[in-house]
Amino acid sequence: MAAEKWHYNVVSLLSGTERDFLIRNNGEKVAISSLDGKKFGLFLSDICYERIVTDDLIKVYNQLSSEGRDFEIVFVSCDSCEETFDRYFSDMPWLAVPFADSDTRERLHDHFGSFEEYYPAQLVIYDAAIGMVVNEEGLRAVAKYGVNGYPFTVKRFYELEAAAKKERSLRSLLVSQSRDYLISNDGSKVAVSDLQGKIVAFYLWINIPDKYGGPNKLTLVLAEIYRKLKEAGESFEVVLVPLDDNKSSYEQGLASMPWLAIPFEDEGCEKLVRYFELWPFQLPTVLVIGADGKIMLKNYDRLISKYGVLAWEAFPFSKERLDLLPEKAKAAQTLESLLVAGDLDYVIGKEGLKVPVKELVGKTILFFFAMSDSFQCQKFLPMLIEAYHKIKRLDSAFEVIFVPMGYMDSGAFEFFLRMPWLAVPVDDERIRSLENTLEAHYVNTLVVIGPTGQTITENAATWLKMYGADAYPFSEERIKEVEMAQTLESLLVAGDLDYVIGKERLKVPVKELVGKTILLFFSIRRSGTCRGFLPHLIEEYHKIKRMDSAFEVVNISMDKDQDSFDQFFSGMPWLSLPFGDERKKSLERTFGVNILYPSLVAIGPTGRTSTKNAMHSLATHGADAYPFSEERIKELDQKIDEMAKGWPEKRKHEQHKHGKLEWSCLHGLYRCGDCHKIGSGWCYLCSTCSFGLHPKCALKEEKKEEEEHDEGSECDGEVYNDFQDSEDSEDYEEDSE
């Protein structure tokens, strides 16, 4: 809670052009000067935000007014139309900046910045007597401490926090002025003191029944966890904190719950919501409180959602037990635990055919998390279908299950009709559970479950793009096998396409390249980075060829027209795939190449990949990086690191007039401003204009030149880096996705 000083008085703060008044909802005008010397809150909000914010504030404001406290509120609307402003403001007993004065409203919103962390609105407490903001998070103080938080300053808030921390206990949380007991589901009273020494889960509950009108899944799973811990004799209790405003709903819900509860509409419920700083979108939730009243776990409901009944193993909620939970969950996971929930023990095929989960047990299952309106998913689907049919021919004990994500409409079902496999029904309650348990939070996530029901990998999408059906069964061991089996022929030969081309379209058989170190240069003429890197690559190519004739570069063009290919390739002294060659797409997938940016992949004499980042290695070390092995690059990097230990943090250069260059490690490319050669990795760099120097070029400057420049001056030069893609590269954006 930072305090920020204003440099003008209350009138200049709140007044507008030809306006020196605020308004009430009855149209009354109130002079801004009437707030001189007072404390008031600027309430920045709009009608879209939860009403509980405004309702709490109204209660506090009315009580303070009835007690004659010196406090006012000024509403600063975020609404976009006057009708919603009038509807929202009509319930407010305080003042407002007129809706018509949009300049003042925008100025105040811009000055106070983003909304608070805890609440989707803002109450900025301003003390006109001293011309200062005394709390930027007034709603937090109001929501947590109500009238007791007055005058809502930072100092007052932390005084209350310190007092609450000192007095905190299970009793202080659960006992109110009129009650020192809880109730059980049969209506009997249980003294709060009976919970002394226990770990207690506070279930802050809003009745959200399942689609059949029964208890929701969180309630059912928490009840099973409660039963297990009770049977184990653990000192554990659950207390229901009802936040529903329907008494019959409360009574019906409590009747099916085996634990204790705070009585309906008890003042203690609102107090706990404030104390734990919860908001309606965080409900329902489960918090675990220790015997000393301290919060042990704020989101136990998330563990329940992810691990189901197994979340009981987190007790007594120590770090050690929580850290062990993921491994225990993996060990206990089965296909049934993932896909069976009560009567939902099936997935669907075409025409709504129900396929029992038990028929899938023992198979390798690939869960395909996707959205019908995602361009990425639409583009990825044909690739997955092709791999699916190939894998099915190899192993019938393989299946894919589509898990529809996001907004569910007819498009999701139509998307499924294009698929040859099974699916979890649209809007099925198991979707959220699968997303949480398998940590599938993004579209195009492929999670593979093995025959025992355990997760094999969450990385199947990457492997399938790279290796297609050859990645099956998507294990680490299989991927290593595929990588070890890679040869130059497997990369560059496809049927009759067993050659590359040289100048004048001369065909060079791939077999003549076997046993050599090959650089695959994924190039695109329209890329400024690619054009800037090409001369450096040509220079280092000739150096390496003089060292070892068993070296070659093969250009893989990503250009979209023959003219671009011909123009760019004509300046290259090496080989190339022909323009439009079908092998290009396979190579792009295998090496994960982005067609908007150049890439350099090194293939060793055995045909295996040495590195996918040879461009960085070549730019950093030049021809010395050859043969681009991991050991060679590591050796060179260590030499630079040792040399760099004594180098200064900053340097000046006569060609750079905007301040000192800082010692940096750049993974991209730069052109040295001194020798004009390509560089990467360690360099002296201007972060503003991208002027960079090779370390050897920076260090040759005479030290006396440093004193001729102002160290504190700011860089106002133009961007120096000449690796800028041309505007027409936008044509490739769709393909890059």
Side-chain angles (χ1 to χ4, degrees):
M1 295 186 183
E4 180 181 347
K5 186 169 182 177
W6 292 84
H7 299 289
Y8 39 76
N9 60 31
V10 67
V11 174
S12 59
L13 173 67
L14 295 175
S15 62
T17 305
E18 299 181 357
R19 179 187 59 79
D20 61 357
F21 60 86
L22 302 168
I23 60 171
R24 294 195 184 277
N25 56 21
N26 61 4
E28 177 189 354
K29 295 180 180 179
V30 177
I32 295 174
S33 58
S34 65
L35 295 176
D36 277 340
K38 294 184 177 181
K39 290 186 180 68
F40 61 90
L42 293 175
F43 181 43
L44 294 88
S45 180
D46 72 38
I47 199 169
C48 295
Y49 295 125
E50 295 287 349
R51 271 303 308 216
I52 193 169
V53 174
T54 309
D55 291 344
D56 276 357
L57 195 54
I58 288 173
K59 289 177 186 177
V60 170
Y61 178 85
N62 286 337
Q63 187 172 342
L64 289 173
S65 297
S66 67
E67 295 173 1
R69 302 286 189 98
D70 178 20
F71 186 68
E72 188 53 79
I73 293 176
V74 178
F75 174 45
V76 184
S77 173
C78 310
D79 287 301
S80 58
C81 71
E82 191 165 8
E83 181 181 352
T84 53
F85 166 81
D86 290 340
R87 185 149 40 100
Y88 195 22
F89 184 44
S90 65
D91 294 332
M92 298 178 182
W94 46 70
L95 305 172
V97 173
F99 181 82
D101 190 355
S102 59
D103 289 343
T104 300
R105 292 190 292 112
E106 289 178 11
R107 171 170 55 81
L108 291 170
H109 278 287
D110 289 343
H111 197 95
F112 287 107
S114 60
F115 287 140
E116 299 177 28
E117 176 184 359
Y118 294 96
Y119 301 101
Q122 196 165 6
L123 184 68
V124 178
I125 308 301
Y126 185 84
D127 189 340
I130 58 175
M132 288 184 65
V133 171
V134 292
N135 193 351
E136 293 179 312
E137 299 180 12
L139 278 181
R140 187 181 182 197
V142 169
K144 193 165 186 180
Y145 293 109
V147 175
N148 199 35
Y150 178 82
F152 312 115
T153 61
V154 172
K155 180 181 178 182
R156 176 60 177 164
F157 181 84
Y158 281 118
E159 286 175 352
L160 293 170
E161 288 281 278
K165 185 176 182 180
K166 186 176 180 180
E167 299 171 2
R168 183 167 50 199
S169 65
L170 278 173
R171 180 173 179 80
S172 69
L173 293 173
L174 291 173
V175 171
S176 66
Q177 292 181 348
S178 60
R179 174 190 51 77
D180 62 355
Y181 61 87
L182 303 167
I183 58 173
S184 63
N185 57 11
D186 62 3
S188 59
K189 296 180 179 179
V190 176
V192 170
S193 58
D194 288 355
L195 273 61
Q196 191 70 30
K198 292 186 177 182
I199 292 175
V200 178
F202 285 58
Y203 184 13
L204 290 102
W205 175 78
I206 295 176
N207 188 23
I208 306 175
D210 67 10
K211 61 183 179 181
Y212 303 109
N216 61 30
K217 186 175 181 180
L218 176 59
T219 300
L220 293 172
V221 177
L222 183 59
E224 183 64 17
I225 291 171
Y226 181 81
R227 181 186 64 78
K228 281 183 171 291
L229 290 173
K230 284 292 186 180
E231 287 178 353
E234 303 290 0
S235 295
F236 178 73
E237 189 54 71
V238 175
V239 173
L240 186 74
V241 182
L243 302 171
D244 207 307
D245 57 3
N246 186 312
K247 188 173 183 179
S248 62
S249 174
Y250 162 75
E251 291 173 344
Q252 181 182 357
L254 181 60
S256 64
M257 298 178 186
W259 44 69
L260 306 176
I262 294 175
F264 180 70
E265 290 189 338
D266 188 279
E267 63 183 17
C269 297
E270 184 178 344
K271 181 183 76 171
L272 288 171
V273 172
R274 286 176 171 169
Y275 179 82
F276 295 126
E277 298 186 278
L278 295 171
W279 202 242
F281 56 72
Q282 295 174 275
L283 301 173
T285 191
V286 182
L287 302 97
V288 179
I289 309 298
D292 58 358
K294 294 181 180 178
I295 298 175
M296 300 181 71
L297 191 61
K298 196 163 186 178
N299 298 110
Y300 188 39
D301 52 293
R302 293 183 186 175
L303 289 185
I304 293 172
S305 176
K306 185 170 184 178
Y307 299 116
V309 175
L310 191 69
W312 81 277
E313 298 247 20
F315 188 87
F317 309 103
S318 62
K319 184 180 185 303
E320 293 74 19
R321 294 302 290 264
L322 290 169
D323 288 344
L324 286 172
L325 196 56
E327 289 303 317
K328 288 187 175 182
K330 286 182 180 180
Q333 179 178 290
T334 64
L335 191 63
E336 293 98 323
S337 70
L338 291 171
L339 280 177
V340 175
D343 295 334
L344 297 171
D345 59 355
Y346 60 88
V347 291
I348 60 170
K350 300 305 177 189
E351 299 179 356
L353 176 69
K354 292 183 178 180
V355 178
V357 172
K358 64 183 179 182
E359 292 185 8
L360 302 174
V361 173
K363 294 187 175 184
T364 297
I365 306 294
L366 187 152
F367 285 98
F368 175 38
F369 293 85
M371 291 174 61
S372 60
D373 58 354
S374 165
F375 174 79
Q376 291 180 334
C377 295
Q378 294 281 353
K379 186 177 179 181
F380 180 69
L381 181 59
M383 188 189 309
L384 182 56
I385 291 174
E386 180 184 358
Y388 172 78
H389 288 305
K390 288 182 179 179
I391 296 171
K392 286 289 278 187
R393 288 194 290 270
L394 293 170
D395 185 359
S396 60
F398 168 73
E399 195 52 75
V400 174
I401 298 176
F402 168 48
V403 184
M405 303 175 75
Y407 180 73
M408 303 305 173
D409 56 14
S410 59
F413 183 70
E414 292 170 2
F415 191 42
F416 172 52
L417 291 180
R418 295 168 54 192
M419 304 175 188
W421 46 70
L422 307 174
V424 176
V426 172
D427 286 332
D428 193 291
E429 67 180 55
R430 292 171 292 178
I431 293 174
R432 177 60 65 83
S433 175
L434 286 166
E435 289 176 357
N436 289 331
T437 302
L438 300 179
E439 298 184 357
H441 305 303
Y442 304 98
V443 296
N444 270 3
T445 296
L446 301 184
V447 180
V448 181
I449 306 300
T452 63
Q454 310 233 327
T455 301
I456 294 176
T457 182
E458 299 90 13
N459 200 34
T462 300
W463 291 342
L464 189 131
K465 289 176 184 176
M466 292 172 62
Y467 306 117
D470 288 341
Y472 184 76
F474 305 104
S475 63
E476 295 279 356
E477 294 75 17
R478 176 55 184 166
I479 299 306
K480 287 179 181 177
E481 287 177 7
V482 173
E483 291 175 347
M484 293 294 287
Q486 177 180 292
T487 64
L488 194 64
E489 293 100 321
S490 69
L491 291 173
L492 292 180
V493 175
D496 295 335
L497 298 171
D498 59 354
Y499 60 88
V500 293
I501 61 172
K503 299 306 175 186
E504 299 180 357
R505 302 294 189 271
L506 176 68
K507 292 184 179 180
V508 178
V510 171
K511 63 183 180 182
E512 292 186 9
L513 302 177
V514 173
K516 295 185 177 183
T517 296
I518 305 295
L519 287 181
L520 300 178
F521 180 37
F522 293 86
S523 69
I524 179 168
R525 187 187 65 82
R526 291 187 177 184
S527 167
T529 304
C530 200
R531 293 194 305 273
F533 182 70
L534 180 59
H536 176 71
L537 179 57
I538 292 173
E539 180 181 354
E540 302 307 317
Y541 168 79
H542 288 304
K543 289 180 182 178
I544 297 173
K545 286 288 277 186
R546 288 193 291 270
M547 290 191 298
D548 186 356
S549 60
F551 166 72
E552 196 50 79
V553 174
V554 177
N555 178 50
I556 316 294
S557 174
M558 296 185 287
D559 287 306
K560 283 209 164 186
D561 60 85
Q562 183 79 50
D563 288 343
S564 295
F565 168 80
D566 290 341
Q567 183 178 346
F568 209 31
F569 180 50
S570 66
M572 301 177 187
W574 44 71
L575 307 173
S576 178
L577 284 187
F579 173 75
D581 194 291
E582 66 183 51
R583 291 170 287 179
K584 176 180 77 78
K585 289 188 177 180
S586 173
L587 290 167
E588 286 175 359
R589 287 199 302 268
T590 298
F591 298 112
V593 174
N594 185 328
I595 68 167
L596 285 179
Y597 303 99
S599 182
L600 205 58
V601 176
I603 307 298
T606 64
R608 297 171 194 156
T609 303
S610 298
T611 178
K612 296 179 183 179
N613 198 18
M615 181 172 284
H616 172 73
S617 302
L618 198 69
T620 303
H621 306 294
D624 287 342
Y626 185 77
F628 308 102
S629 63
E630 183 178 340
E631 296 77 12
R632 179 58 176 162
I633 302 305
K634 186 176 180 181
E635 176 189 348
L636 293 171
D637 286 342
Q638 286 177 344
K639 284 183 179 179
I640 290 181
D641 290 343
E642 285 299 316
M643 293 170 61
K645 288 180 180 179
W647 291 347
E649 291 294 320
K650 297 183 180 182
R651 295 297 292 173
K652 285 283 188 178
H653 191 272
E654 60 181 5
Q655 300 299 321
H656 184 258
K657 308 297 185 181
H658 314 121
K660 284 195 171 184
L661 305 170
E662 296 190 359
W663 181 235
S664 308
C665 187
L666 187 68
H667 290 286
L669 305 181
Y670 67 93
R671 188 184 297 280
C672 178
D674 187 89
C675 68
H676 305 295
K677 293 185 177 181
I678 296 298
S680 185
W682 289 111
C683 63
Y684 283 93
L685 186 72
C686 174
S687 60
T688 302
C689 75
S690 299
F691 183 97
L693 292 176
H694 289 133
K696 63 181 180 181
C697 295
L699 295 173
K700 74 180 182 181
E701 288 289 290
E702 293 295 332
K703 187 176 180 181
K704 63 181 181 180
E705 292 187 5
E706 292 184 22
E707 301 173 359
E708 298 176 5
H709 302 281
D710 178 13
E711 181 176 347
S713 63
E714 295 184 357
C715 177
D716 57 359
E718 296 180 356
V719 173
Y720 178 81
N721 188 346
D722 58 356
F723 298 135
Q724 302 297 320
D725 291 343
S726 57
E727 294 179 4
D728 51 5
S729 67
E730 294 176 1
D731 297 341
Y732 294 83
E733 286 184 2
E734 181 177 331
D735 290 333
S736 70
E737 297 186 28

